[in-house]
Amino acid sequence: VKVERAQDLSMVSSFDGQVDPLVSIKIVEPSKVDTVWASSTSTKPDTQNPVWNEEFYVLRSDLSTLSTFSIVFEVFDGDNLMESMLGNAKNEFLGRCTIRMDDVFANQRIRQSYDLTDIHCGRLYLEISVQYY
């Protein structure tokens, strides 16, 4: 899983009017919403157009059993300095996109951009591939 970049992320209420985005990545079983794997990118300060180019590896011997699962990418505004100083630090939700694992398995490699949902604007650029060893 490679999180390449995001574009035109929503501005949220913050002290300096900027966002410090990070991406949470989870593989979940949709029927139970159980997370079987999770990770996150680094936080990129003061940008609505962050570039991560960060890769994540899911090493599983039962990879084929994940075909009914989904990968959920959620973008957050990382804790900002003022909120941290006031003791109210939290990551504010900026949007999400969900990709079904059966789509990944069918194509072996997906590289495209996705509109973020549950927000006003923003796109996430991803590359997802499956390799068997």
Side-chain angles (χ1 to χ4, degrees):
V1 177
K2 182 176 183 180
V3 178
E4 295 180 350
R5 63 189 175 98
Q7 183 178 2
D8 299 327
L9 295 176
S10 285
M11 297 283 280
V12 293
S13 55
S14 68
F15 178 71
D16 61 0
Q18 284 292 329
V19 292
D20 303 318
L22 64 95
V23 179
S24 164
I25 310 156
K26 296 184 281 190
I27 296 179
V28 298
E29 184 176 6
S31 60
K32 298 179 184 174
V33 194
D34 289 338
T35 300
V36 297
W37 180 88
S39 193
S40 66
T41 66
S42 60
T43 301
K44 297 296 181 183
D46 300 329
T47 181
Q48 289 178 267
N49 300 296
V51 175
W52 288 282
N53 285 319
E54 295 181 23
E55 294 185 24
F56 303 88
Y57 298 91
V58 181
L59 303 175
R60 294 188 57 113
S61 60
D62 61 343
L63 194 59
S64 62
T65 63
L66 299 180
S67 63
T68 61
F69 289 53
S70 295
I71 306 177
V72 179
F73 297 87
E74 294 181 317
V75 182
F76 294 92
D77 179 11
D79 298 337
N80 71 41
L81 180 60
M82 183 56 80
E83 289 175 340
S84 295
M85 290 170 53
L86 296 173
N88 299 325
K90 66 178 196 264
N91 291 333
E92 191 165 353
F93 179 75
L94 297 177
R96 84 171 43 91
C97 69
T98 302
I99 301 165
R100 294 168 31 130
M101 287 296 293
D102 58 349
D103 291 339
V104 176
F105 285 118
N107 295 295
Q108 296 294 303
R109 181 175 181 260
I110 296 173
R111 184 173 189 223
Q112 65 185 55
S113 63
Y114 298 87
D115 287 326
L116 295 174
T117 60
D118 303 324
I119 60 160
H120 299 293
C121 65
R123 292 186 72 72
L124 193 58
Y125 293 76
L126 305 168
E127 182 177 338
I128 304 166
S129 61
V130 175
Q131 297 176 346
Y132 297 96
Y133 294 100

